[in-house]
Amino acid sequence: MARQIDEIEDGMLELSARKADLIDKHVGRRLRDRRRSLDLSQQDIANILSISYQQVQKYESGLNRVSAGRLYLLAHIMHTTVGYFYEGLPSGDEILSGRITEMDLIIPELETLPSANVRDALSDLVRAIKESKMLS
């Protein structure tokens, strides 16, 4: 029984390590969206945290992970909760199963774009890439 639990835990750790970038990118997008909604620049955030604006860029792109302590401070600066940055993520079970991709998180966001023309253009682009020889 203990061996089986270790195997499950090991598998989950391995899988979560591979999928962590999906969560980091989601947190980064939420960070960027919140910052923009408050009309703050990357430099404004960087100055408050005594880091470079490039570091803020890396957080927002999901290239660098935001530590728990830093996320707590960002939530305070942006007058929100830490949970805000995780809203919209699928369940942990779905992520750990490997069934969720980054596209699964991006596609719902496309529906929130204000311009129907932009949404249609993006759909056309995806369709064209899918039908092209680029995927062969």
Side-chain angles (χ1 to χ4, degrees), residues 2-136:
R3 182 176 176 203
Q4 194 174 29
I5 292 171
D6 289 341
E7 288 173 5
I8 291 169
E9 288 176 356
D10 290 345
M12 290 173 68
L13 289 173
E14 181 181 306
L15 186 55
S16 66
R18 276 189 258 133
K19 294 296 180 184
D21 60 316
L22 180 141
I23 297 168
D24 297 328
K25 288 180 181 181
H26 178 82
V27 168
R29 279 192 297 273
R30 298 286 291 172
L31 173 61
R32 181 196 62 228
D33 293 346
R34 183 68 178 177
R35 177 184 58 77
R36 287 178 176 171
S37 73
L38 295 171
D39 200 28
L40 294 169
S41 69
Q42 290 176 337
Q43 189 64 57
D44 294 334
I45 300 298
N47 289 343
I48 294 167
L49 294 174
S50 299
I51 61 175
S52 68
Y53 77 90
Q54 291 96 335
Q55 183 61 44
V56 176
Q57 286 177 328
K58 289 178 182 181
Y59 288 154
E60 291 184 359
S61 69
L63 190 61
N64 284 7
R65 291 182 171 169
V66 181
S67 71
R70 178 86 19 104
L71 193 59
Y72 179 83
L73 294 174
L74 285 164
H76 176 75
I77 291 164
M78 297 183 173
H79 309 290
T80 190
T81 64
V82 171
Y84 165 84
F85 298 105
Y86 296 99
E87 289 174 7
L89 277 173
S91 74
D93 288 339
E94 288 180 288
I95 294 171
L96 289 172
S97 73
R99 294 187 309 248
I100 301 296
T101 66
E102 187 176 353
M103 284 306 298
D104 293 322
L105 297 178
I106 293 172
I107 289 171
E109 288 184 18
L110 296 178
E111 294 302 317
T112 65
L113 291 172
S115 169
N117 291 337
V118 171
R119 288 192 306 272
D120 291 344
L122 286 170
S123 294
D124 292 344
L125 175 63
V126 169
R127 200 170 295 109
I129 291 170
K130 183 180 175 186
E131 294 170 358
S132 76
K133 296 183 192 269
M134 292 175 70
L135 297 177
S136 300

